[in-house]
Amino acid sequence: DQQVKQNSPSLSVQEGRISILNCDYTNSMFDYFLWYKKYPAEGPTFLISISSIKDKNEDGRFTVFLNKSAKHLSLHIVPSQPGDSAVYFCAASAKTSYDKVIFGPGTSLSVIP
Amino acid sequence: NAGVTQTPKFRVLKTGQSMTLLCAQDMNHEYMYWYRQDPGMGLRLIHYSVGEGTTAKGEVPDGYNVSRLKKQNFLLGLESAAPSQTSVYFCASSDPQDTQYFGPGTRLTVL
């Protein structure tokens, strides 16, 4: 059973609009969450993270929101740009094992010019 | 500064053949990891290492072995390849409890 779920395999958004990518987790021990971005034929690259002591973290156009009670987090991209078209992986780890990061299956985002 | 590199980029094997994937990093990171990526499954951790000479099992270690003889290198071996090991393999490295940096991947097909 997947501990980190991304229920939308794909998402299409118009350029300039907001992209919202969702992630759910089942393990209550997770306390650190990350988003990675992956272009075709490249490895994933780190995008943004959030600790469980926060409910929001912002970095430029990217904001991650964490709802611990719902075991849900989301990545907001505003405004969306064509260069944001990629696969986005949600990931989580627990303080007891930060070296083990559990990844979700990914959401493929297409930003349409 | 090349970051994390993986050799080879592509490989086709027949069932039962063996091979070794090489990962090298030049960032002096303590931790190194091997993942496999399959459609709809995300990245799954195969083995990892928290320092030179140490290795540990991840989520899906069966059929793979690893070695970390030098801090900058992490080798992933398949002793007897099976079609179920057809996948894209990613290596990553990090400082302890820090962001992981990934290599470009190796696409392996086992016939």
PDB file of all heavy atoms in Angstrom, chain A residues 2-39:
ATOM      1  N   GLN A   2       0.586   2.183  -0.892  1.00  0.00           N
ATOM      2  CA  GLN A   2       1.409   3.373  -1.007  1.00  0.00           C
ATOM      3  C   GLN A   2       1.221   4.280   0.199  1.00  0.00           C
ATOM      4  O   GLN A   2       0.089   4.594   0.575  1.00  0.00           O
ATOM      5  CB  GLN A   2       1.067   4.136  -2.299  1.00  0.00           C
ATOM      6  CG  GLN A   2       1.563   3.446  -3.553  1.00  0.00           C
ATOM      7  CD  GLN A   2       1.349   4.289  -4.805  1.00  0.00           C
ATOM      8  OE1 GLN A   2       0.495   5.150  -4.841  1.00  0.00           O
ATOM      9  NE2 GLN A   2       2.137   4.034  -5.840  1.00  0.00           N
ATOM     10  N   GLN A   3       2.334   4.736   0.774  1.00  0.00           N
ATOM     11  CA  GLN A   3       2.257   5.632   1.920  1.00  0.00           C
ATOM     12  C   GLN A   3       2.109   7.084   1.483  1.00  0.00           C
ATOM     13  O   GLN A   3       1.660   7.926   2.266  1.00  0.00           O
ATOM     14  CB  GLN A   3       3.513   5.491   2.778  1.00  0.00           C
ATOM     15  CG  GLN A   3       3.691   4.114   3.386  1.00  0.00           C
ATOM     16  CD  GLN A   3       4.890   4.080   4.309  1.00  0.00           C
ATOM     17  OE1 GLN A   3       4.916   4.725   5.351  1.00  0.00           O
ATOM     18  NE2 GLN A   3       5.900   3.319   3.930  1.00  0.00           N
ATOM     19  N   VAL A   4       2.518   7.378   0.246  1.00  0.00           N
ATOM     20  CA  VAL A   4       2.395   8.729  -0.300  1.00  0.00           C
ATOM     21  C   VAL A   4       1.624   8.607  -1.620  1.00  0.00           C
ATOM     22  O   VAL A   4       2.052   7.886  -2.516  1.00  0.00           O
ATOM     23  CB  VAL A   4       3.772   9.380  -0.537  1.00  0.00           C
ATOM     24  CG1 VAL A   4       3.614  10.764  -1.151  1.00  0.00           C
ATOM     25  CG2 VAL A   4       4.549   9.463   0.772  1.00  0.00           C
ATOM     26  N   LYS A   5       0.504   9.304  -1.690  1.00  0.00           N
ATOM     27  CA  LYS A   5      -0.379   9.164  -2.849  1.00  0.00           C
ATOM     28  C   LYS A   5      -0.540  10.490  -3.584  1.00  0.00           C
ATOM     29  O   LYS A   5      -0.687  11.539  -2.957  1.00  0.00           O
ATOM     30  CB  LYS A   5      -1.757   8.675  -2.396  1.00  0.00           C
ATOM     31  CG  LYS A   5      -1.718   7.372  -1.627  1.00  0.00           C
ATOM     32  CD  LYS A   5      -3.085   6.956  -1.148  1.00  0.00           C
ATOM     33  CE  LYS A   5      -2.997   5.697  -0.289  1.00  0.00           C
ATOM     34  NZ  LYS A   5      -4.323   5.233   0.171  1.00  0.00           N
ATOM     35  N   GLN A   6      -0.508  10.402  -4.885  1.00  0.00           N
ATOM     36  CA  GLN A   6      -0.830  11.531  -5.738  1.00  0.00           C
ATOM     37  C   GLN A   6      -1.896  11.013  -6.693  1.00  0.00           C
ATOM     38  O   GLN A   6      -1.582  10.290  -7.641  1.00  0.00           O
ATOM     39  CB  GLN A   6       0.415  12.034  -6.486  1.00  0.00           C
ATOM     40  CG  GLN A   6       1.467  12.612  -5.562  1.00  0.00           C
ATOM     41  CD  GLN A   6       2.718  13.016  -6.310  1.00  0.00           C
ATOM     42  OE1 GLN A   6       3.720  12.311  -6.288  1.00  0.00           O
ATOM     43  NE2 GLN A   6       2.663  14.171  -6.963  1.00  0.00           N
ATOM     44  N   ASN A   7      -3.123  11.327  -6.407  1.00  0.00           N
ATOM     45  CA  ASN A   7      -4.239  10.688  -7.098  1.00  0.00           C
ATOM     46  C   ASN A   7      -4.500  11.214  -8.498  1.00  0.00           C
ATOM     47  O   ASN A   7      -5.271  10.607  -9.249  1.00  0.00           O
ATOM     48  CB  ASN A   7      -5.505  10.797  -6.246  1.00  0.00           C
ATOM     49  CG  ASN A   7      -5.385   9.971  -4.976  1.00  0.00           C
ATOM     50  OD1 ASN A   7      -4.811   8.876  -4.989  1.00  0.00           O
ATOM     51  ND2 ASN A   7      -5.897  10.491  -3.873  1.00  0.00           N
ATOM     52  N   SER A   8      -3.879  12.339  -8.857  1.00  0.00           N
ATOM     53  CA  SER A   8      -4.038  12.860 -10.213  1.00  0.00           C
ATOM     54  C   SER A   8      -2.788  12.541 -11.013  1.00  0.00           C
ATOM     55  O   SER A   8      -1.756  13.166 -10.812  1.00  0.00           O
ATOM     56  CB  SER A   8      -4.272  14.369 -10.191  1.00  0.00           C
ATOM     57  OG  SER A   8      -5.449  14.681  -9.502  1.00  0.00           O
ATOM     58  N   PRO A   9      -2.873  11.601 -11.948  1.00  0.00           N
ATOM     59  CA  PRO A   9      -1.679  11.278 -12.749  1.00  0.00           C
ATOM     60  C   PRO A   9      -1.265  12.440 -13.646  1.00  0.00           C
ATOM     61  O   PRO A   9      -0.086  12.568 -13.987  1.00  0.00           O
ATOM     62  CB  PRO A   9      -2.111  10.089 -13.597  1.00  0.00           C
ATOM     63  CG  PRO A   9      -3.324   9.559 -12.928  1.00  0.00           C
ATOM     64  CD  PRO A   9      -3.982  10.709 -12.242  1.00  0.00           C
ATOM     65  N   SER A  10      -2.240  13.276 -14.046  1.00  0.00           N
ATOM     66  CA  SER A  10      -1.905  14.375 -14.942  1.00  0.00           C
ATOM     67  C   SER A  10      -2.803  15.576 -14.666  1.00  0.00           C
ATOM     68  O   SER A  10      -3.902  15.451 -14.108  1.00  0.00           O
ATOM     69  CB  SER A  10      -2.023  13.934 -16.402  1.00  0.00           C
ATOM     70  OG  SER A  10      -3.349  13.568 -16.700  1.00  0.00           O
ATOM     71  N   LEU A  11      -2.299  16.737 -15.107  1.00  0.00           N
ATOM     72  CA  LEU A  11      -3.006  18.003 -14.896  1.00  0.00           C
ATOM     73  C   LEU A  11      -2.623  18.953 -16.020  1.00  0.00           C
ATOM     74  O   LEU A  11      -1.436  19.056 -16.360  1.00  0.00           O
ATOM     75  CB  LEU A  11      -2.593  18.591 -13.539  1.00  0.00           C
ATOM     76  CG  LEU A  11      -3.140  19.957 -13.149  1.00  0.00           C
ATOM     77  CD1 LEU A  11      -4.640  19.866 -12.914  1.00  0.00           C
ATOM     78  CD2 LEU A  11      -2.448  20.467 -11.892  1.00  0.00           C
ATOM     79  N   SER A  12      -3.614  19.626 -16.602  1.00  0.00           N
ATOM     80  CA  SER A  12      -3.338  20.640 -17.630  1.00  0.00           C
ATOM     81  C   SER A  12      -3.855  21.985 -17.162  1.00  0.00           C
ATOM     82  O   SER A  12      -4.976  22.086 -16.646  1.00  0.00           O
ATOM     83  CB  SER A  12      -4.038  20.276 -18.941  1.00  0.00           C
ATOM     84  OG  SER A  12      -3.423  19.183 -19.551  1.00  0.00           O
ATOM     85  N   VAL A  13      -3.033  23.019 -17.342  1.00  0.00           N
ATOM     86  CA  VAL A  13      -3.370  24.363 -16.869  1.00  0.00           C
ATOM     87  C   VAL A  13      -2.958  25.374 -17.933  1.00  0.00           C
ATOM     88  O   VAL A  13      -1.944  25.182 -18.621  1.00  0.00           O
ATOM     89  CB  VAL A  13      -2.626  24.654 -15.543  1.00  0.00           C
ATOM     90  CG1 VAL A  13      -2.795  26.084 -15.113  1.00  0.00           C
ATOM     91  CG2 VAL A  13      -3.102  23.713 -14.455  1.00  0.00           C
ATOM     92  N   GLN A  14      -3.711  26.435 -18.061  1.00  0.00           N
ATOM     93  CA  GLN A  14      -3.351  27.505 -18.981  1.00  0.00           C
ATOM     94  C   GLN A  14      -2.226  28.345 -18.386  1.00  0.00           C
ATOM     95  O   GLN A  14      -2.169  28.574 -17.165  1.00  0.00           O
ATOM     96  CB  GLN A  14      -4.555  28.417 -19.234  1.00  0.00           C
ATOM     97  CG  GLN A  14      -5.638  27.815 -20.119  1.00  0.00           C
ATOM     98  CD  GLN A  14      -5.198  27.699 -21.563  1.00  0.00           C
ATOM     99  OE1 GLN A  14      -5.325  26.647 -22.157  1.00  0.00           O
ATOM    100  NE2 GLN A  14      -4.679  28.782 -22.115  1.00  0.00           N
ATOM    101  N   GLU A  15      -1.352  28.798 -19.262  1.00  0.00           N
ATOM    102  CA  GLU A  15      -0.276  29.688 -18.841  1.00  0.00           C
ATOM    103  C   GLU A  15      -0.858  30.892 -18.111  1.00  0.00           C
ATOM    104  O   GLU A  15      -1.863  31.475 -18.522  1.00  0.00           O
ATOM    105  CB  GLU A  15       0.518  30.156 -20.065  1.00  0.00           C
ATOM    106  CG  GLU A  15       1.684  31.067 -19.734  1.00  0.00           C
ATOM    107  CD  GLU A  15       2.457  31.486 -20.971  1.00  0.00           C
ATOM    108  OE1 GLU A  15       2.068  31.102 -22.097  1.00  0.00           O
ATOM    109  OE2 GLU A  15       3.476  32.186 -20.804  1.00  0.00           O
ATOM    110  N   GLY A  16      -0.219  31.263 -16.992  1.00  0.00           N
ATOM    111  CA  GLY A  16      -0.668  32.409 -16.220  1.00  0.00           C
ATOM    112  C   GLY A  16      -1.639  32.070 -15.107  1.00  0.00           C
ATOM    113  O   GLY A  16      -1.825  32.862 -14.179  1.00  0.00           O
ATOM    114  N   ARG A  17      -2.271  30.880 -15.206  1.00  0.00           N
ATOM    115  CA  ARG A  17      -3.226  30.493 -14.173  1.00  0.00           C
ATOM    116  C   ARG A  17      -2.505  29.754 -13.048  1.00  0.00           C
ATOM    117  O   ARG A  17      -1.306  29.497 -13.103  1.00  0.00           O
ATOM    118  CB  ARG A  17      -4.314  29.589 -14.778  1.00  0.00           C
ATOM    119  CG  ARG A  17      -5.034  30.187 -15.964  1.00  0.00           C
ATOM    120  CD  ARG A  17      -5.865  31.399 -15.572  1.00  0.00           C
ATOM    121  NE  ARG A  17      -7.012  31.063 -14.757  1.00  0.00           N
ATOM    122  CZ  ARG A  17      -8.224  30.801 -15.256  1.00  0.00           C
ATOM    123  NH1 ARG A  17      -8.440  30.822 -16.554  1.00  0.00           N
ATOM    124  NH2 ARG A  17      -9.223  30.522 -14.435  1.00  0.00           N
ATOM    125  N   ILE A  18      -3.241  29.381 -12.015  1.00  0.00           N
ATOM    126  CA  ILE A  18      -2.671  28.654 -10.891  1.00  0.00           C
ATOM    127  C   ILE A  18      -2.693  27.152 -11.149  1.00  0.00           C
ATOM    128  O   ILE A  18      -3.658  26.620 -11.689  1.00  0.00           O
ATOM    129  CB  ILE A  18      -3.429  28.986  -9.575  1.00  0.00           C
ATOM    130  CG1 ILE A  18      -2.773  28.301  -8.382  1.00  0.00           C
ATOM    131  CG2 ILE A  18      -4.894  28.598  -9.683  1.00  0.00           C
ATOM    132  CD1 ILE A  18      -3.322  28.751  -7.037  1.00  0.00           C
ATOM    133  N   SER A  19      -1.605  26.486 -10.810  1.00  0.00           N
ATOM    134  CA  SER A  19      -1.557  25.023 -10.823  1.00  0.00           C
ATOM    135  C   SER A  19      -1.590  24.553  -9.376  1.00  0.00           C
ATOM    136  O   SER A  19      -0.838  25.062  -8.540  1.00  0.00           O
ATOM    137  CB  SER A  19      -0.264  24.511 -11.467  1.00  0.00           C
ATOM    138  OG  SER A  19      -0.196  24.857 -12.827  1.00  0.00           O
ATOM    139  N   ILE A  20      -2.446  23.585  -9.084  1.00  0.00           N
ATOM    140  CA  ILE A  20      -2.520  23.015  -7.742  1.00  0.00           C
ATOM    141  C   ILE A  20      -2.317  21.511  -7.838  1.00  0.00           C
ATOM    142  O   ILE A  20      -3.106  20.807  -8.472  1.00  0.00           O
ATOM    143  CB  ILE A  20      -3.875  23.323  -7.067  1.00  0.00           C
ATOM    144  CG1 ILE A  20      -4.079  24.834  -6.949  1.00  0.00           C
ATOM    145  CG2 ILE A  20      -3.929  22.675  -5.672  1.00  0.00           C
ATOM    146  CD1 ILE A  20      -5.418  25.252  -6.387  1.00  0.00           C
ATOM    147  N   LEU A  21      -1.238  21.032  -7.244  1.00  0.00           N
ATOM    148  CA  LEU A  21      -0.932  19.613  -7.246  1.00  0.00           C
ATOM    149  C   LEU A  21      -1.130  19.091  -5.827  1.00  0.00           C
ATOM    150  O   LEU A  21      -0.653  19.685  -4.863  1.00  0.00           O
ATOM    151  CB  LEU A  21       0.503  19.349  -7.694  1.00  0.00           C
ATOM    152  CG  LEU A  21       0.799  19.646  -9.170  1.00  0.00           C
ATOM    153  CD1 LEU A  21       1.109  21.119  -9.397  1.00  0.00           C
ATOM    154  CD2 LEU A  21       1.964  18.802  -9.653  1.00  0.00           C
ATOM    155  N   ASN A  22      -1.842  17.982  -5.707  1.00  0.00           N
ATOM    156  CA  ASN A  22      -2.213  17.456  -4.404  1.00  0.00           C
ATOM    157  C   ASN A  22      -1.463  16.179  -4.044  1.00  0.00           C
ATOM    158  O   ASN A  22      -1.051  15.421  -4.931  1.00  0.00           O
ATOM    159  CB  ASN A  22      -3.718  17.188  -4.361  1.00  0.00           C
ATOM    160  CG  ASN A  22      -4.520  18.459  -4.435  1.00  0.00           C
ATOM    161  OD1 ASN A  22      -4.337  19.369  -3.636  1.00  0.00           O
ATOM    162  ND2 ASN A  22      -5.415  18.544  -5.409  1.00  0.00           N
ATOM    163  N   CYS A  23      -1.335  15.975  -2.754  1.00  0.00           N
ATOM    164  CA  CYS A  23      -0.606  14.807  -2.231  1.00  0.00           C
ATOM    165  C   CYS A  23      -1.233  14.410  -0.899  1.00  0.00           C
ATOM    166  O   CYS A  23      -1.528  15.278  -0.058  1.00  0.00           O
ATOM    167  CB  CYS A  23       0.861  15.180  -2.075  1.00  0.00           C
ATOM    168  SG  CYS A  23       1.900  13.898  -1.350  1.00  0.00           S
ATOM    169  N   ASP A  24      -1.441  13.126  -0.699  1.00  0.00           N
ATOM    170  CA  ASP A  24      -1.950  12.609   0.575  1.00  0.00           C
ATOM    171  C   ASP A  24      -0.975  11.565   1.112  1.00  0.00           C
ATOM    172  O   ASP A  24      -0.352  10.853   0.337  1.00  0.00           O
ATOM    173  CB  ASP A  24      -3.334  11.965   0.375  1.00  0.00           C
ATOM    174  CG  ASP A  24      -4.361  12.958  -0.095  1.00  0.00           C
ATOM    175  OD1 ASP A  24      -4.754  13.806   0.715  1.00  0.00           O
ATOM    176  OD2 ASP A  24      -4.752  12.898  -1.278  1.00  0.00           O
ATOM    177  N   TYR A  25      -0.890  11.481   2.421  1.00  0.00           N
ATOM    178  CA  TYR A  25      -0.010  10.482   3.022  1.00  0.00           C
ATOM    179  C   TYR A  25      -0.749   9.730   4.119  1.00  0.00           C
ATOM    180  O   TYR A  25      -1.739  10.218   4.675  1.00  0.00           O
ATOM    181  CB  TYR A  25       1.283  11.114   3.540  1.00  0.00           C
ATOM    182  CG  TYR A  25       1.092  12.162   4.620  1.00  0.00           C
ATOM    183  CD1 TYR A  25       1.217  11.836   5.966  1.00  0.00           C
ATOM    184  CD2 TYR A  25       0.823  13.483   4.276  1.00  0.00           C
ATOM    185  CE1 TYR A  25       1.067  12.798   6.952  1.00  0.00           C
ATOM    186  CE2 TYR A  25       0.669  14.460   5.248  1.00  0.00           C
ATOM    187  CZ  TYR A  25       0.790  14.113   6.578  1.00  0.00           C
ATOM    188  OH  TYR A  25       0.627  15.063   7.556  1.00  0.00           O
ATOM    189  N   THR A  26      -0.271   8.547   4.415  1.00  0.00           N
ATOM    190  CA  THR A  26      -0.968   7.712   5.392  1.00  0.00           C
ATOM    191  C   THR A  26      -0.177   7.530   6.690  1.00  0.00           C
ATOM    192  O   THR A  26      -0.759   7.238   7.720  1.00  0.00           O
ATOM    193  CB  THR A  26      -1.261   6.317   4.808  1.00  0.00           C
ATOM    194  OG1 THR A  26      -0.021   5.709   4.406  1.00  0.00           O
ATOM    195  CG2 THR A  26      -2.177   6.415   3.587  1.00  0.00           C
ATOM    196  N   ASN A  27       1.135   7.720   6.634  1.00  0.00           N
ATOM    197  CA  ASN A  27       1.975   7.463   7.802  1.00  0.00           C
ATOM    198  C   ASN A  27       2.046   8.700   8.695  1.00  0.00           C
ATOM    199  O   ASN A  27       2.621   9.716   8.313  1.00  0.00           O
ATOM    200  CB  ASN A  27       3.374   7.062   7.322  1.00  0.00           C
ATOM    201  CG  ASN A  27       4.268   6.558   8.442  1.00  0.00           C
ATOM    202  OD1 ASN A  27       4.007   6.806   9.613  1.00  0.00           O
ATOM    203  ND2 ASN A  27       5.313   5.850   8.077  1.00  0.00           N
ATOM    204  N   SER A  28       1.497   8.617   9.893  1.00  0.00           N
ATOM    205  CA  SER A  28       1.466   9.773  10.798  1.00  0.00           C
ATOM    206  C   SER A  28       2.847  10.109  11.358  1.00  0.00           C
ATOM    207  O   SER A  28       3.035  11.144  11.997  1.00  0.00           O
ATOM    208  CB  SER A  28       0.486   9.522  11.940  1.00  0.00           C
ATOM    209  OG  SER A  28       0.840   8.339  12.634  1.00  0.00           O
ATOM    210  N   MET A  29       3.838   9.233  11.113  1.00  0.00           N
ATOM    211  CA  MET A  29       5.203   9.507  11.576  1.00  0.00           C
ATOM    212  C   MET A  29       5.927  10.480  10.648  1.00  0.00           C
ATOM    213  O   MET A  29       6.967  11.028  11.012  1.00  0.00           O
ATOM    214  CB  MET A  29       6.003   8.203  11.663  1.00  0.00           C
ATOM    215  CG  MET A  29       5.477   7.222  12.687  1.00  0.00           C
ATOM    216  SD  MET A  29       5.534   7.884  14.351  1.00  0.00           S
ATOM    217  CE  MET A  29       7.303   7.904  14.635  1.00  0.00           C
ATOM    218  N   PHE A  30       5.420  10.673   9.441  1.00  0.00           N
ATOM    219  CA  PHE A  30       6.065  11.604   8.521  1.00  0.00           C
ATOM    220  C   PHE A  30       6.020  13.011   9.088  1.00  0.00           C
ATOM    221  O   PHE A  30       4.971  13.480   9.538  1.00  0.00           O
ATOM    222  CB  PHE A  30       5.375  11.597   7.155  1.00  0.00           C
ATOM    223  CG  PHE A  30       5.596  10.361   6.345  1.00  0.00           C
ATOM    224  CD1 PHE A  30       4.620   9.916   5.461  1.00  0.00           C
ATOM    225  CD2 PHE A  30       6.785   9.642   6.411  1.00  0.00           C
ATOM    226  CE1 PHE A  30       4.807   8.776   4.684  1.00  0.00           C
ATOM    227  CE2 PHE A  30       6.985   8.505   5.650  1.00  0.00           C
ATOM    228  CZ  PHE A  30       5.991   8.075   4.791  1.00  0.00           C
ATOM    229  N   ASP A  31       7.170  13.697   9.068  1.00  0.00           N
ATOM    230  CA  ASP A  31       7.180  15.052   9.578  1.00  0.00           C
ATOM    231  C   ASP A  31       7.963  16.006   8.690  1.00  0.00           C
ATOM    232  O   ASP A  31       8.219  17.156   9.072  1.00  0.00           O
ATOM    233  CB  ASP A  31       7.718  15.093  11.019  1.00  0.00           C
ATOM    234  CG  ASP A  31       9.153  14.597  11.097  1.00  0.00           C
ATOM    235  OD1 ASP A  31       9.701  14.145  10.080  1.00  0.00           O
ATOM    236  OD2 ASP A  31       9.726  14.670  12.200  1.00  0.00           O
ATOM    237  N   TYR A  32       8.388  15.529   7.538  1.00  0.00           N
ATOM    238  CA  TYR A  32       9.118  16.393   6.608  1.00  0.00           C
ATOM    239  C   TYR A  32       8.685  16.006   5.214  1.00  0.00           C
ATOM    240  O   TYR A  32       8.691  14.822   4.858  1.00  0.00           O
ATOM    241  CB  TYR A  32      10.624  16.213   6.800  1.00  0.00           C
ATOM    242  CG  TYR A  32      11.465  17.217   6.059  1.00  0.00           C
ATOM    243  CD1 TYR A  32      11.395  18.569   6.365  1.00  0.00           C
ATOM    244  CD2 TYR A  32      12.338  16.818   5.050  1.00  0.00           C
ATOM    245  CE1 TYR A  32      12.160  19.497   5.684  1.00  0.00           C
ATOM    246  CE2 TYR A  32      13.109  17.737   4.376  1.00  0.00           C
ATOM    247  CZ  TYR A  32      13.019  19.076   4.694  1.00  0.00           C
ATOM    248  OH  TYR A  32      13.777  19.990   4.018  1.00  0.00           O
ATOM    249  N   PHE A  33       8.307  17.030   4.422  1.00  0.00           N
ATOM    250  CA  PHE A  33       7.710  16.768   3.125  1.00  0.00           C
ATOM    251  C   PHE A  33       8.441  17.587   2.055  1.00  0.00           C
ATOM    252  O   PHE A  33       8.849  18.727   2.302  1.00  0.00           O
ATOM    253  CB  PHE A  33       6.220  17.127   3.149  1.00  0.00           C
ATOM    254  CG  PHE A  33       5.476  16.410   4.240  1.00  0.00           C
ATOM    255  CD1 PHE A  33       5.369  16.973   5.503  1.00  0.00           C
ATOM    256  CD2 PHE A  33       4.915  15.168   4.012  1.00  0.00           C
ATOM    257  CE1 PHE A  33       4.714  16.307   6.527  1.00  0.00           C
ATOM    258  CE2 PHE A  33       4.249  14.491   5.018  1.00  0.00           C
ATOM    259  CZ  PHE A  33       4.154  15.058   6.277  1.00  0.00           C
ATOM    260  N   LEU A  34       8.576  16.978   0.885  1.00  0.00           N
ATOM    261  CA  LEU A  34       9.326  17.626  -0.184  1.00  0.00           C
ATOM    262  C   LEU A  34       8.574  17.486  -1.500  1.00  0.00           C
ATOM    263  O   LEU A  34       7.794  16.551  -1.688  1.00  0.00           O
ATOM    264  CB  LEU A  34      10.704  16.974  -0.358  1.00  0.00           C
ATOM    265  CG  LEU A  34      11.572  16.739   0.878  1.00  0.00           C
ATOM    266  CD1 LEU A  34      11.349  15.338   1.439  1.00  0.00           C
ATOM    267  CD2 LEU A  34      13.034  16.917   0.531  1.00  0.00           C
ATOM    268  N   TRP A  35       8.839  18.400  -2.389  1.00  0.00           N
ATOM    269  CA  TRP A  35       8.391  18.286  -3.774  1.00  0.00           C
ATOM    270  C   TRP A  35       9.620  18.299  -4.677  1.00  0.00           C
ATOM    271  O   TRP A  35      10.508  19.137  -4.514  1.00  0.00           O
ATOM    272  CB  TRP A  35       7.462  19.440  -4.159  1.00  0.00           C
ATOM    273  CG  TRP A  35       6.095  19.330  -3.574  1.00  0.00           C
ATOM    274  CD1 TRP A  35       5.659  19.876  -2.408  1.00  0.00           C
ATOM    275  CD2 TRP A  35       4.964  18.650  -4.140  1.00  0.00           C
ATOM    276  NE1 TRP A  35       4.338  19.565  -2.200  1.00  0.00           N
ATOM    277  CE2 TRP A  35       3.889  18.810  -3.253  1.00  0.00           C
ATOM    278  CE3 TRP A  35       4.765  17.914  -5.319  1.00  0.00           C
ATOM    279  CZ2 TRP A  35       2.621  18.276  -3.496  1.00  0.00           C
ATOM    280  CZ3 TRP A  35       3.509  17.378  -5.566  1.00  0.00           C
ATOM    281  CH2 TRP A  35       2.456  17.557  -4.662  1.00  0.00           C
ATOM    282  N   TYR A  36       9.643  17.341  -5.608  1.00  0.00           N
ATOM    283  CA  TYR A  36      10.692  17.269  -6.611  1.00  0.00           C
ATOM    284  C   TYR A  36      10.032  17.434  -7.980  1.00  0.00           C
ATOM    285  O   TYR A  36       8.903  17.012  -8.207  1.00  0.00           O
ATOM    286  CB  TYR A  36      11.422  15.925  -6.565  1.00  0.00           C
ATOM    287  CG  TYR A  36      12.445  15.798  -5.467  1.00  0.00           C
ATOM    288  CD1 TYR A  36      12.073  15.463  -4.175  1.00  0.00           C
ATOM    289  CD2 TYR A  36      13.798  16.001  -5.731  1.00  0.00           C
ATOM    290  CE1 TYR A  36      13.012  15.332  -3.167  1.00  0.00           C
ATOM    291  CE2 TYR A  36      14.758  15.870  -4.734  1.00  0.00           C
ATOM    292  CZ  TYR A  36      14.351  15.530  -3.453  1.00  0.00           C
ATOM    293  OH  TYR A  36      15.285  15.406  -2.460  1.00  0.00           O
ATOM    294  N   LYS A  37      10.792  17.989  -8.888  1.00  0.00           N
ATOM    295  CA  LYS A  37      10.336  18.230 -10.256  1.00  0.00           C
ATOM    296  C   LYS A  37      11.221  17.422 -11.185  1.00  0.00           C
ATOM    297  O   LYS A  37      12.441  17.346 -10.980  1.00  0.00           O
ATOM    298  CB  LYS A  37      10.484  19.718 -10.541  1.00  0.00           C
ATOM    299  CG  LYS A  37      10.146  20.199 -11.922  1.00  0.00           C
ATOM    300  CD  LYS A  37      10.358  21.711 -11.938  1.00  0.00           C
ATOM    301  CE  LYS A  37      10.075  22.319 -13.268  1.00  0.00           C
ATOM    302  NZ  LYS A  37      10.254  23.792 -13.254  1.00  0.00           N
ATOM    303  N   LYS A  38      10.623  16.808 -12.214  1.00  0.00           N
ATOM    304  CA  LYS A  38      11.421  15.979 -13.116  1.00  0.00           C
ATOM    305  C   LYS A  38      11.042  16.248 -14.568  1.00  0.00           C
ATOM    306  O   LYS A  38       9.876  16.098 -14.959  1.00  0.00           O
ATOM    307  CB  LYS A  38      11.220  14.494 -12.788  1.00  0.00           C
ATOM    308  CG  LYS A  38      12.082  13.585 -13.648  1.00  0.00           C
ATOM    309  CD  LYS A  38      11.790  12.143 -13.392  1.00  0.00           C
ATOM    310  CE  LYS A  38      12.651  11.252 -14.283  1.00  0.00           C
ATOM    311  NZ  LYS A  38      12.492  11.539 -15.713  1.00  0.00           N
ATOM    312  N   TYR A  39      12.064  16.624 -15.357  1.00  0.00           N
ATOM    313  CA  TYR A  39      11.895  16.744 -16.797  1.00  0.00           C
ATOM    314  C   TYR A  39      12.260  15.412 -17.451  1.00  0.00           C
ATOM    315  O   TYR A  39      13.023  14.622 -16.879  1.00  0.00           O
ATOM    316  CB  TYR A  39      12.803  17.837 -17.356  1.00  0.00           C
ATOM    317  CG  TYR A  39      12.427  19.242 -16.936  1.00  0.00           C
ATOM    318  CD1 TYR A  39      13.310  20.015 -16.176  1.00  0.00           C
ATOM    319  CD2 TYR A  39      11.210  19.803 -17.292  1.00  0.00           C
ATOM    320  CE1 TYR A  39      12.986  21.308 -15.801  1.00  0.00           C
ATOM    321  CE2 TYR A  39      10.877  21.095 -16.916  1.00  0.00           C
ATOM    322  CZ  TYR A  39      11.772  21.833 -16.170  1.00  0.00           C
ATOM    323  OH  TYR A  39      11.445  23.108 -15.791  1.00  0.00           O
TER     324      TYR A  39
END
